[in-house]
Amino acid sequence: MKTKKFYWETRELVIIGSFAALIKIISFLVSIAGGGMNPLALIAKNVVATSLLIILISSVRKFGVLTLYVAISGIIIMLTMGRGMMLLPGLLIAGILCELIIKFTGGYKSTRAIIMGVFFFDILFRVISLVLGFLFTRENPQLMIMAVVVVSIGYVGCLIGLGVGSAFAKELKHAGIIKV
């Protein structure tokens, strides 16, 4: 009988940290190469980030991978851009809730559950961040209109990234890079 491992292997921690850094670096490079925060660059940035997140969770299929990714990603954001403190509460709440969504909709062995978890992670993170932003801009709610438009355009990229990420994960499983 095989016993469950409740600890993180070094390989898994390295993969999570590498993907967290890779997602931030590539997202930043896509934004710069796209000429700033125009709609196409915003969509492309989110396609890449969501795709890589699906590949990460597909390669490290353990409860807590999304929360650990969020913690590492939050540290990277704070060190590089300084705005991480505003994003961290939304990221952590969305990460923990979506870990539970993945667990209760089929677990980490189910690709459908992983895609559903990432789908809800992207939407919950954005909604929580917008709510927190609204609380800080109550005196001038018109500022939120532009934020909602930008977040909505970015979410289109996340929806595209769900399909791209699942296709890449499937091909990486075929190639033997992602172990099932």
Side-chain angles (χ1 to χ4, degrees):
M1 188 167 132
K2 195 175 181 182
T3 60
K4 284 189 172 184
K5 296 179 185 177
F6 291 107
Y7 59 88
W8 292 96
E9 295 177 14
T10 305
R11 179 189 75 81
E12 295 166 339
L13 293 173
V14 168
I15 289 172
I16 294 169
S18 299
F19 266 85
L22 185 68
I23 289 170
K24 293 301 168 200
I25 291 169
I26 291 178
S27 296
F28 181 69
L29 291 176
V30 167
S31 295
I32 290 175
M37 292 307 289
N38 62 54
L40 291 178
L42 191 60
I43 290 172
K45 173 179 99 80
N46 285 295
V47 167
V48 169
T50 303
S51 300
L52 288 174
L53 186 57
I54 289 176
I55 293 170
L56 166 65
I57 297 172
S58 295
S59 58
V60 181
R61 293 177 178 253
K62 267 190 182 174
F63 185 80
V65 65
L66 189 57
T67 307
L68 191 55
Y69 159 77
V70 163
I72 294 169
S73 180
I75 292 169
I76 292 171
I77 291 171
M78 283 190 293
L79 291 174
T80 57
M81 295 180 237
R83 64 182 173 104
M85 291 304 288
M86 292 298 295
L87 296 175
L88 199 55
L91 279 169
L92 282 174
I93 292 168
I96 292 168
L97 288 175
C98 291
E99 291 275 4
L100 295 172
I101 288 172
I102 292 172
K103 183 175 180 162
F104 292 119
T105 58
Y108 288 87
K109 300 292 182 198
S110 168
T111 304
R112 184 183 63 82
I114 291 172
I115 291 170
M116 193 180 325
V118 173
F119 169 79
F120 283 112
F121 172 73
D122 284 333
I123 201 163
L124 281 174
F125 161 61
R126 283 164 171 73
V127 168
I128 292 168
S129 296
L130 283 172
V131 168
L132 288 175
F134 179 74
L135 292 175
F136 288 111
T137 60
R138 286 184 299 197
E139 293 81 23
N140 195 357
Q142 290 82 11
L143 290 173
M144 287 305 296
I145 294 170
M146 192 60 187
V148 169
V149 169
V150 169
V151 167
S152 300
I153 292 171
Y155 193 69
V156 169
C158 293
L159 292 175
I160 296 168
L162 291 172
V164 172
S166 66
F168 273 123
K170 183 179 178 182
E171 290 302 318
L172 290 172
K173 284 178 197 171
H174 256 297
I177 296 172
I178 293 178
K179 297 174 186 173
V180 181

